């Protein structure tokens, strides 16, 4: 009985890392993604190309590799070793997800008909007003399904942090496998299933909230 | 006194010259119909008036004040343009209502944002907003939509949406109200209600520039007709002159083709 309790406690502690990584990544990558999206749509070409190249590199290489680069890079390049593995995972996840989000935002923003901007403009609105008062909510509505997909992928990706030694849930469970106990490893799936079940409900509520208009 | 005077407007898109020097003027309370085939430059001219396009050459005067001069780049700052375009209202072919706002909110949004820049707003926020709302309700009633105030655009027919769009343009009390083919995106049975609203505005002597393919409507409603072809004004005059006694060969051909159908 003690062994069971011990395993469950260990899984819970591991999952807390997954949850933290998930929460912080969303919180930071959502706004950072918008900054990157605006950069990639900039009319100032050097900024545009710099941003696009950055997004290409981040989307074009494995997140697993990026985790190693963030962990070892600062030590190798600037002689400042990254001491905190969780922080390294956090940085890699925020950058990676911000780039994916930025492409979703860009697609959403560019899908809004030109007429919406023009209608706002001829009514004397500033560009900022048109963006925040007219365009933004329409973009949010259009990108919610795609963002939902990314969010659900993120819950599972958090397990990748184990490759740089963050003891998230699967790494915690594997310790028991080595002791001949296989069920903790398999039950980690339940944690993800429950979490994504909750997220799916939340996401569909958000979509419903915006059902009152068509865009 | 001319409300609007347009002098030598030219517009190039790269190598292509779409407007080749347009001049006209409009008196207060007059309705001007712009007719011509697709690609003749009518819509571009209208978009130039609303600063959605920047004329390559020429001047625009409103109430005898120079508001645009292509040779003076300082008139192209966003601030200047934003202020000057308020002289004009524009009704689009595709309505362009804001989908997430109700009919009434579509009317009040821009006015509320403009009111925020005034000192009264800081003192009397509630009164200012109430006043704007009352104006909006009255305008929607005047286009026959008092029962649709809280409807969202997708809940309205095309004709109703376009009437909301007209009311929205009137909300800022422009000196000149422009229409860009206001019925072209509508099913034939819905054009009547929109044309009736515009006719009503003409009877109230609203100063208007109307780009239209509805020739009978143009003839009935306008005081002045400009026929455009390939970026120039080919013929101008009263509706009786242009429609009954066209002088130019190109006008005759255009009208013949139109009335044959």
């Amino acid at each position: 009985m003690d062994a069971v309790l011990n395993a469950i406690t260990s899984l819970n502690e591991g999952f807390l890392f997954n949850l933290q990584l998930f929460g912080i990544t969303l919180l930071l990558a959502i706004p950072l993604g918008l900054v990157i999206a605006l950069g990639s749509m900039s009319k100032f070409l050097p900024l545009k190309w710099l941003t696009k190249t950055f997004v290409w590199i981040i989307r074009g290489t494995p997140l697993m590799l990026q985790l190693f680069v963030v962990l070892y890079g600062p030590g190798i390049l600037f002689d400042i070793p990254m001491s905190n593995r969780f922080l390294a995972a956090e940085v890699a996840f925020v950058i990676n997800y911000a780039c994916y989000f930025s492409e979703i935002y860009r697609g959403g923003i560019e899908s809004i008909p030109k007429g919406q901007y023009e209608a706002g403009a001829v009514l004397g609105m500033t560009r900022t007003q048109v963006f925040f008062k007219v365009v933004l909510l329409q973009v949010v509505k259009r990108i919610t399904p795609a963002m939902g997909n990314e969010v659900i992928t993120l819950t599972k990706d958090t397990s990748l942090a184990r490759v740089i030694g963050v003891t998230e849930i699967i790494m915690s469970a594997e310790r028991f496998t080595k002791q001949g106990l296989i069920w903790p490893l398999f039950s980690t799936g339940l944690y993800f299933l429950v979490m994504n079940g909750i997220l799916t409900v939340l996401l569909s509520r958000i979509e419903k909230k915006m059902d009152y208009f068509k865009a | 006194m001319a409300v609007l005077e347009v002098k030598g407007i030219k517009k190039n898109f790269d190598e292509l010259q779409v407007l080749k020097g347009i001049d006209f003027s409009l008196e207060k309370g007059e309705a001007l119909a712009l007719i011509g085939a697709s690609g003749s430059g009518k819509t571009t001219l209208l978009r130039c008036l609303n600063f959605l396009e920047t004329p390559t050459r020429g001047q625009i005067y409103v109430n005898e004040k120079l508001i645009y001069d292509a040779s003076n780049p300082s008139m192209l700052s966003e601030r200047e343009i934003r202020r000057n375009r308020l002289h004009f209202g524009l009704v689009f072919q595709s309505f362009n209502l804001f989908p997430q706002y109700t009919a009434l909110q579509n009317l009040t949004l821009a006015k509320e944002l403009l009111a925020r820049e005034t000192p009264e707003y800081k003192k009397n926020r509630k009164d200012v907003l109430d006043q704007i709302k009352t104006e909006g309700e009255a305008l929607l009633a005047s286009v026959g939509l008092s029962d649709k105030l809280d409807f969202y655009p997708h809940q309205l027919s095309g004709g109703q949406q376009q009437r909301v769009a007209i009311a929205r343009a009137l909300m800022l009390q422009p000196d000149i109200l422009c229409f860009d083919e206001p019925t072209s995106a509508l099913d034939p049975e819905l054009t009547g209600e929109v044309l009736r609203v515009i006719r009503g505005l003409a009877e109230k002597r609203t100063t208007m520039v109307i780009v239209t393919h509805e020739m009978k409507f143009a003839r009935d409603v306008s005081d002045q007709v400009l026929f455009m072809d390939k970026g120039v004004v080919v013929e101008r005059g009263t509706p009786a002159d242009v429609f009954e006694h066209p002088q130019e060969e190109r006008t005759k051909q255009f009208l013949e083709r139109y009335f044959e159908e």
Side-chain angles (χ1 to χ4, degrees):
Chain A
M1 199 58 207
D2 258 8
V4 173
L5 211 64
N6 190 15
I8 292 176
T9 313
S10 191
L11 291 187
N12 287 347
E13 280 167 6
F15 198 58
L16 214 59
F17 271 112
N18 298 77
L19 283 178
Q20 278 178 33
L21 196 53
F22 172 80
I24 298 174
T25 302
L26 272 193
L27 209 68
L28 298 180
I30 284 175
L32 182 62
L34 186 59
V35 176
I36 298 174
L38 295 176
S40 71
M41 290 183 293
S42 171
K43 281 182 190 145
F44 181 58
L45 292 182
L47 177 64
K48 177 176 169 161
W49 292 116
L50 194 72
T51 319
K52 288 204 167 236
T53 308
F54 183 70
V55 171
W56 170 63
I57 292 170
I58 297 297
R59 293 204 310 166
T61 57
L63 175 55
M64 198 187 279
L65 176 61
Q66 291 163 16
L67 283 161
F68 286 118
V69 170
V70 174
L71 182 65
Y72 298 126
I76 296 166
L77 294 174
F78 311 108
D79 218 21
I80 322 164
M82 180 72 89
S83 53
N84 186 333
R85 285 163 188 276
F86 186 78
L87 179 67
E90 199 43 74
V91 171
F93 269 80
V94 168
I95 291 175
N96 184 277
Y97 270 82
C99 285
Y100 277 96
F101 289 167
S102 79
E103 283 296 285
I104 297 179
Y105 295 162
R106 188 178 62 81
I109 292 171
E110 288 177 351
S111 75
I112 302 299
K114 219 175 78 198
Q116 291 289 306
Y117 293 91
E118 293 184 349
V122 296
L123 290 166
M125 293 185 204
T126 63
R127 277 178 218 221
T128 318
Q129 286 171 340
V130 171
F131 183 76
F132 284 103
K133 296 285 174 181
V134 175
V135 174
L136 186 61
L137 190 60
Q138 298 181 50
V139 172
V140 171
K141 184 180 167 94
R142 286 183 187 205
I143 67 174
T144 302
M147 288 294 282
N149 248 337
E150 287 297 317
V151 168
I152 282 171
T153 305
L154 171 62
T155 63
K156 295 164 290 176
D157 273 0
T158 52
S159 270
L160 275 178
R162 59 158 305 174
V163 300
I164 56 166
V166 175
T167 43
E168 51 66 58
I169 187 167
I170 292 182
M171 191 167 174
S172 312
E174 267 188 328
R175 285 212 306 267
F176 295 95
T177 315
K178 283 169 195 144
Q179 298 162 16
L181 213 56
I182 195 73
W183 66 264
L185 181 61
F186 288 176
S187 39
T188 57
L190 288 176
Y191 284 79
F192 290 101
L193 279 176
V194 170
M195 181 168 176
N196 282 326
I198 296 169
L199 284 173
T200 306
V201 172
L202 275 177
L203 285 163
S204 75
R205 282 214 189 142
I206 294 175
E207 283 184 39
K208 274 233 168 66
K209 271 228 151 83
M210 291 181 289
D211 262 356
Y212 71 91
F213 72 96
K214 285 207 166 64
Chain B
M1 186 185 83
V3 175
L4 172 65
E5 201 168 357
V6 170
K7 285 187 181 165
I9 291 289
K10 292 185 183 171
K11 175 66 186 173
N12 298 356
F13 291 108
D14 298 318
E15 295 300 297
L16 184 72
Q17 194 168 40
V18 178
L19 298 177
K20 298 172 183 166
I22 305 287
D23 303 88
F24 70 87
S25 74
L26 193 61
E27 298 295 316
K28 193 169 166 55
E30 238 186 357
L32 174 109
L34 274 174
I35 61 169
S38 304
S40 58
K42 319 178 292 286
T43 292
T44 305
L45 176 58
L46 207 61
R47 290 171 62 83
C48 284
L49 295 179
N50 286 276
F51 300 98
L52 292 176
E53 306 292 351
T54 325
T56 318
R57 293 265 182 285
Q59 294 90 35
I60 300 171
Y61 295 82
V62 170
N63 296 323
E64 299 186 342
K65 184 174 164 267
L66 181 67
I67 65 156
Y68 178 80
D69 186 345
S71 56
N72 182 353
S74 75
M75 289 187 154
L76 285 174
S77 70
E78 198 188 337
R79 215 188 136 83
E80 278 289 302
I81 284 178
R82 205 182 137 224
R83 204 160 48 107
N84 285 327
R85 68 168 26 133
L86 288 176
H87 290 293
F88 300 88
L90 177 59
V91 175
F92 297 87
Q93 180 177 348
S94 50
F95 330 138
N96 294 342
L97 293 180
F98 306 133
Q100 73 269 45
Y101 294 113
T102 63
L104 182 60
Q105 288 167 336
N106 261 279
L107 268 68
T108 55
L109 177 67
K111 193 135 191 182
E112 284 173 10
L113 292 173
L114 285 169
R116 281 187 196 181
E117 294 168 26
T118 62
E120 294 99 281
Y121 185 79
K122 282 169 198 100
K123 278 182 266 163
N124 269 325
R125 204 177 141 195
K126 199 178 169 301
D127 289 349
V128 172
L129 292 180
D130 282 347
Q131 168 70 22
I132 292 172
K133 197 167 167 232
T134 312
E135 279 171 41
E137 287 167 353
L139 265 174
L140 279 176
S142 77
V143 296
L145 292 173
S146 48
D147 55 337
K148 305 284 187 208
L149 300 179
D150 298 324
F151 281 55
Y152 288 92
H154 76 273
Q155 299 168 315
L156 301 171
S157 73
Q160 290 168 335
Q161 289 188 49
Q162 192 60 303
R163 286 188 278 154
V164 174
I166 293 171
R168 179 174 72 174
L170 286 168
M171 190 71 187
L172 299 178
Q173 291 144 332
D175 295 308
I176 301 122
L177 183 56
C178 303
F179 293 86
D180 184 13
E181 302 186 22
T183 58
S184 294
L186 293 173
D187 292 334
E189 72 269 23
L190 298 176
T191 57
E193 57 187 89
V194 172
L195 295 183
R196 262 196 302 283
V197 167
I198 304 173
R199 230 180 270 267
L201 291 172
E203 279 158 17
K204 280 189 272 177
R205 310 309 294 164
T206 309
T207 313
M208 297 188 283
V209 178
I210 307 167
V211 170
T212 185
H213 289 296
E214 301 272 347
M215 294 305 146
K216 290 193 188 74
F217 172 72
R219 185 169 57 191
D220 294 351
V221 89
S222 65
D223 304 289
Q224 200 190 148
V225 179
L226 296 192
F227 169 66
M228 284 179 68
D229 190 36
K230 299 195 177 91
V232 295
V233 175
V234 175
E235 188 151 357
R236 67 180 79 210
T238 63
D241 291 340
V242 176
F243 287 107
E244 315 303 337
H245 312 287
Q247 304 297 310
E248 300 289 329
E249 202 49 43
R250 277 189 278 178
T251 320
K252 287 177 194 165
Q253 279 172 3
F254 173 77
L255 291 173
E256 263 166 36
R257 230 177 320 139
Y258 181 84
F259 283 106
E260 260 169 28
E261 282 163 14

